[in-house]
Amino acid sequence: MTLAYQSLRSGRSWSEIIRGMSGAQSPDPLAVTNSGDDSRLPAPPRGRFRRKTVGMPFQENPYITHVQAIDLDQDGLLDVIVSDARSNRVSWIRQESPGVFSERLISPAIIAPARTQAFDIDQDGDLDVLIAGLGSLFPTNEKLGKVVILENMGDSSFTAHTIATRLPRVADVRGGDFDGDGDMDLVVSQFGAEEGRTSWMENLGDWTFKDHPLLELSGNIHTIPIDLDGDGDLDLVSLISQEWEEIYAFINDGSGNFSQHLLYGSSNDDYGSSGISLADLDGDGDTDILYTNGDAFDYTPPLPRPWHGVQWLENRGDLKFTFHRIIDYPGAYGSSPIDVDGDGDLDIVVVSSFNYWDNESAQSVIWLENNGEASFLRHNITNDPTHQITVSIGDFNNDGLPDLVTGGIHFYAPYDRIGRVTLWLNTGKDDVAKP
């Protein structure tokens, strides 16, 4: 589903549709200002996590598309890499000393950067940054996508290499040795609009890559490298959204030749697939698929649908997966499996971007406690800020507890609880005093 489809169905122009997404409460969402100062916000609810705003203050509504918790400079303190579709840059929120953060831009202009991966692509011992550039935040058939790699020079500076341009809108890029020749290749998710593809790019050396198509379908949100069949090479798992709403595996023969396997397909072509993560959720030694569906970009206004929620595909072996619904959750978007409570099994953190925000009970961040029997108990974390689209996990204060960092994309009303990048520190307790 795309803006083009919505325009055809409604008879309205793309600009009218985009304006309609902002709702009646604010005629010009770009005119809304906010200092980013926590003092104007109500205290978050008492609970396991304490909120801390990190990064630059903002004057316009944030369009954060992705955050990654990573120790980019390998100094023992976690940082955050931010994909910002408002500034059209990738930035680095560096933890300079415990609890002290500063943010600076590290990329050239990249229209609507969708996602990053910190990855040592040149194998020189430091972390480079792979960037997926959409080229347009909203769907278009123009070939505006690009792949950019920020080469880490080892002194906290980066050199940009444009690897590929004029691609269908690129939603994800990740690294791995897919042909077994010892250097690092790329897998590229080209979401596009009505045209898109999944491909891997062979590293030819000297920042040159050769494209190998895998699947000619639009709507690829991301593709994750993993040894799914346990044979020692990297396979791929892809989520294809829009009218396809399917999950594919591409099984590698070890030399970069992949066979395609459909793992799951929804019968609802409006399912709103929004993300997958890979983890052993049931602790049986194989890789399961955590799967969210909560996208509402193709509605005006972009309200959630009753089928939105969180589910997992249980790995039964031989590329067979069993679908389990975990919870209904309006607007479910980014998710991450992590042992929040330290009891030895994997819980799940989920954020919501499209929810009933006029209702204060609507939660933007929740965690699902694994009871050890493949069922989960919901715990609310916050309803402030709203419109959270991305989450990443890491121990930011080195206390042995997993913390969260989230990012918000505020392109439609309401605008009363805005957040750009928010750090959530895990106290290890279910009831704590407000910060």
Side-chain angles (χ1 to χ4, degrees):
M1 303 288 284
T2 67
L3 282 179
Y5 174 81
Q6 189 74 6
S7 176
L8 180 64
R9 185 168 66 179
S10 66
R12 290 179 292 170
S13 70
W14 285 26
S15 60
E16 288 173 329
I17 292 170
I18 293 170
R19 284 198 300 270
M21 288 180 177
S22 67
Q25 298 186 27
S26 176
D28 182 8
L30 303 186
V32 177
T33 62
N34 187 286
S35 67
D37 179 6
D38 278 349
S39 63
R40 71 171 189 87
L41 299 172
R46 296 161 66 87
R48 179 176 289 266
F49 293 92
R50 291 188 294 111
R51 181 182 61 206
K52 178 182 178 69
T53 296
V54 295
M56 300 175 182
F58 54 89
Q59 297 300 319
E60 295 180 299
N61 291 350
Y63 290 177
I64 302 302
T65 54
H66 185 247
V67 293
Q68 182 186 9
I70 190 75
D71 184 2
L72 186 56
D73 55 0
Q74 299 175 313
D75 65 350
L77 297 172
L78 270 189
D79 313 308
V80 186
I81 304 176
V82 181
S83 301
D84 189 335
R86 170 67 76 181
S87 68
N88 294 314
R89 296 288 198 281
V90 170
S91 63
W92 174 18
I93 301 179
R94 181 173 180 262
Q95 189 170 182
E96 298 179 343
S97 60
V100 178
F101 296 84
S102 65
E103 181 172 4
R104 66 181 179 89
L105 304 177
I106 59 173
S107 82
I110 300 172
I111 303 300
R115 193 179 182 95
T116 65
Q117 184 191 28
F119 184 83
D120 187 6
I121 191 73
D122 54 5
Q123 298 178 282
D124 63 353
D126 52 31
L127 291 173
D128 310 300
V129 180
L130 315 182
I131 304 174
L134 284 169
S136 170
L137 187 59
F138 293 101
T140 175
N141 285 321
E142 292 186 74
K143 301 295 194 301
L144 302 176
K146 64 171 57 177
V147 175
V148 177
I149 298 177
L150 302 182
E151 179 188 3
N152 192 332
M153 307 309 293
D155 58 359
S156 296
S157 67
F158 297 84
T159 297
H161 301 274
T162 300
I163 302 305
T165 61
R166 300 185 60 80
L167 302 176
R169 299 163 61 245
V170 178
D172 193 10
V173 57
R174 308 201 192 198
D177 182 6
F178 302 122
D179 52 6
D181 64 354
D183 57 22
M184 295 297 112
D185 311 303
L186 304 172
V187 59
V188 182
S189 302
Q190 301 169 52
F191 189 103
E194 291 153 356
E195 299 176 5
R197 65 161 36 171
T198 306
S199 63
W200 74 276
M201 294 187 176
E202 179 185 359
N203 191 337
L204 302 179
D206 196 28
W207 304 103
T208 301
F209 291 79
K210 179 181 178 180
D211 186 73
H212 298 273
L214 294 172
L215 181 66
E216 299 287 342
L217 286 181
S218 62
N220 189 326
I221 296 177
H222 44 242
T223 303
I224 304 175
I226 192 168
D227 184 5
L228 192 62
D229 56 3
D231 65 354
D233 54 38
L234 284 176
D235 310 303
L236 304 168
V237 179
S238 284
L239 174 60
I240 312 297
S241 61
Q242 302 198 103
E243 69 264 37
W244 316 110
E245 309 294 346
E246 295 171 333
I247 299 175
Y248 286 89
F250 299 95
I251 301 301
N252 193 349
D253 70 354
S255 300
N257 301 305
F258 292 87
S259 59
Q260 175 184 310
H261 303 266
L262 179 63
L263 303 183
Y264 172 79
S266 173
S267 59
N268 180 356
D269 62 6
D270 203 18
Y271 200 52
S273 295
S274 50
I276 55 172
S277 299
L278 306 182
D280 183 6
L281 285 173
D282 53 4
D284 65 353
D286 54 27
T287 300
D288 307 304
I289 302 173
L290 174 62
Y291 175 28
T292 54
N293 67 305
D295 182 69
F297 268 106
D298 39 333
Y299 300 114
T300 53
L303 294 176
R305 290 298 182 260
W307 51 83
H308 285 176
V310 183
Q311 45 267 313
W312 66 292
L313 303 181
E314 180 186 1
N315 192 335
R316 296 290 193 177
D318 195 28
L319 298 179
K320 306 297 183 184
F321 289 78
T322 299
F323 179 97
H324 300 276
R325 183 72 163 190
I326 296 175
I327 190 173
D328 296 339
Y329 184 36
Y333 228 89
S335 68
S336 186
I338 189 69
D339 185 4
V340 171
D341 52 7
D343 65 354
D345 52 30
L346 285 178
D347 311 302
I348 302 168
V349 175
V350 193
V351 297
S352 172
S353 185
F354 304 98
N355 210 320
Y356 300 104
W357 298 125
D358 290 331
N359 184 344
E360 290 191 359
S361 68
Q363 298 291 302
S364 53
V365 189
I366 64 173
W367 73 281
L368 305 174
E369 180 184 1
N370 190 337
N371 71 3
E373 299 175 356
S375 64
F376 295 81
L377 175 65
R378 171 175 169 161
H379 299 269
N380 294 336
I381 295 178
T382 194
N383 66 351
D384 181 3
T386 57
H387 301 79
Q388 299 297 280
I389 201 168
T390 176
V391 61
S392 188
I393 309 295
D395 184 1
F396 279 86
N397 54 3
N398 289 326
D399 65 354
L401 299 173
D403 309 308
L404 324 175
V405 61
T406 64
I409 184 165
H410 298 266
F411 73 91
Y412 75 99
Y415 305 106
D416 57 337
R417 290 162 285 160
I418 298 177
R420 183 173 177 270
V421 179
T422 308
L423 176 62
W424 304 90
L425 295 172
N426 189 342
T427 69
K429 303 175 182 179
D430 287 324
D431 188 30
V432 298
K434 69 181 182 181

